[in-house]
Amino acid sequence: MSGRNRPLAAILGCGGPRLSERERAFFRDADPYGFVLFQRNCEDPDQVRGLVAALRETVGRSDAPVLIDQEGGRVRRLKPPHWPEHPAAARFGALAARDPDRAERAVRLHATAVAAMLSELHIDVDAAPVLDLAFRGASDVVGDRAFGDDPATVARLGRATCEGFLDGGVLPIIKHMPGHGRATVDSHHALPVVTVDLDSLAAADFGPFRALADAPWGMTGHIVLAAVDPDRPATQSPLVIERIIRGAIGFDGVLVSDDLSMNALSGTLGQRAAAAVAAGCDLALHCNGVFAEMMAVAAAAPALADRTIERLRRGEDRRRRPDAIDPVATLARVDAMLAA
């Protein structure tokens, strides 16, 4: 495959539950590697399946990945009445404090059920689990999305979550590398700056990511680590990506940026995308579906690099053939395990 014929190193959203003709033409011409869905794109199961098929048809690749944020708790794009409620990570962390083995079983079962729910919709990548630690006094942008404040517990439950997704044929994305838990502002609205020394970060924040360095996909955080690069957020910092994410943590999977439209980043959308890929992100992620912004990202994003293609291939090799399960009944079992 020549560089000219490769898809763009970009994941893009769309504006609503159905593609406009302008979106179809744009995706056909731009050829992003994959797509991401948000709540605005999800009305009911038949509609979602139709949208997923339409997105893949535009790029002519039936295996183009379709991502979603379906963590559980407050971060989920698929909601009642068509999809069941399911718990936030903190509930599994609370169970782990009482019964670590039971918590590990419960969180793996939970991930398997979520994967089954996504597979029914032909969605094949979930932006979960969150491996950020919970810190007192930090912004609630992480909050109950974290399993807890103990690196070993977060790593154990994160590992079980990844295995559950893979059991269900869905690729997980560990996030937000190299650790977003200390942020005192929400990166959707402003740029967090962490001034803690590198030894403290290595001893705590990096731990869960280091333990899951073999995960197929990971996501960067829009957060400045002053001890490593005081001038650029991790998403756009070659120092953070090369020295910490690829180096100290040892992650060699597919690295996707967090959403480029978040206000933590500055510059035009094209500048943001170019900086993220130049820093070492494999894929630039743009989520809001705003057409002019997508055009700017597509104009700035390069074709997939050789190293990215290899990482994507290794990730695909991790998928397992899922067993047929009822996600609603399985999530009910998980609730019973959490309540016991």
Side-chain angles (χ1 to χ4, degrees):
M1 181 185 294
S2 70
R4 184 177 59 185
N5 296 323
R6 292 176 178 178
L8 286 183
I11 303 289
L12 301 179
C14 58
R18 293 162 190 85
L19 291 182
S20 67
E21 287 307 310
R22 184 168 72 156
E23 287 173 327
R24 288 179 189 272
F26 168 67
F27 292 143
R28 191 174 298 117
D29 181 63
D31 194 18
Y33 178 65
F35 302 95
V36 62
L37 301 183
F38 270 66
Q39 187 177 347
R40 67 179 181 275
N41 307 122
C42 303
E43 291 181 336
D44 60 64
D46 286 341
Q47 171 271 321
V48 172
R49 282 189 286 268
L51 177 59
V52 168
L55 288 166
R56 288 177 170 144
E57 187 276 331
T58 65
V59 295
R61 285 179 279 113
S62 60
D63 59 349
V66 176
L67 287 61
I68 199 165
D69 285 292
Q70 196 70 17
E71 297 173 11
R74 60 192 164 102
V75 177
R76 66 209 191 285
R77 312 309 180 196
L78 304 171
K79 297 183 178 182
H82 295 290
W83 297 281
E85 296 278 9
H86 52 110
R91 291 191 60 195
F92 297 100
L95 177 59
R98 307 190 306 271
D99 189 336
D101 292 341
R102 187 180 185 90
E104 182 177 3
R105 292 193 300 272
V107 78
R108 182 165 182 161
L109 193 62
H110 172 257
T112 304
V114 173
M117 184 168 66
L118 299 184
S119 293
E120 289 177 352
L121 303 172
H122 307 151
I123 297 168
D124 54 1
V125 184
D126 195 356
V130 170
L131 299 187
D132 305 314
L133 301 180
F135 286 94
R136 184 171 299 174
S139 165
D140 66 357
V141 65
V142 173
D144 66 355
R145 300 166 66 192
F147 289 115
D149 59 5
D150 174 56
T153 298
V154 172
R156 181 177 182 179
L157 297 181
R159 169 71 65 186
T161 300
C162 287
E163 293 301 323
F165 282 132
L166 292 168
D167 287 344
V170 168
L171 294 180
I173 305 178
I174 59 173
K175 60 187 190 185
H176 306 83
M177 301 177 81
H180 203 297
R182 295 182 193 267
T184 56
V185 296
D186 184 342
S187 53
H188 292 86
H189 307 300
L191 178 60
V193 177
V194 170
T195 58
V196 174
D197 63 273
L198 187 56
D199 287 343
S200 297
L201 293 170
D205 308 54
F206 301 166
F209 296 103
R210 194 163 50 237
L212 274 80
D214 62 336
W217 287 46
M219 180 180 288
T220 62
H222 299 332
I223 186 166
V224 170
L225 299 186
V228 183
D229 187 343
D231 300 318
R232 292 167 292 193
T235 298
Q236 299 174 327
S237 171
L239 293 175
V240 173
I241 291 177
E242 293 171 13
R243 294 184 186 178
I244 305 303
I245 296 176
R246 300 297 191 191
I249 287 172
F251 178 74
D252 193 30
V254 178
L255 188 64
V256 59
S257 75
D258 204 348
D259 181 12
L260 295 174
S261 64
M262 291 164 63
N263 290 330
L265 302 182
S266 59
T268 67
L269 267 296
Q271 290 168 339
R272 297 179 190 190
V277 177
C281 289
D282 291 297
L283 298 168
L285 173 67
H286 181 266
C287 296
N288 66 20
V290 173
F291 196 82
E293 292 188 8
M294 291 196 295
M295 290 181 66
V297 170
L304 293 179
D306 289 343
R307 65 181 183 276
T308 299
I309 292 172
E310 173 58 21
R311 289 167 180 154
L312 290 165
R313 185 198 62 76
R314 290 202 310 264
E316 288 300 318
D317 289 345
R318 299 283 300 280
R319 291 187 194 275
R320 295 192 274 271
R321 185 179 299 277
D323 295 328
I325 69 166
D326 180 342
V328 174
T330 304
L331 288 171
R333 285 179 58 199
V334 171
D335 285 339
M337 294 174 75
L338 290 169

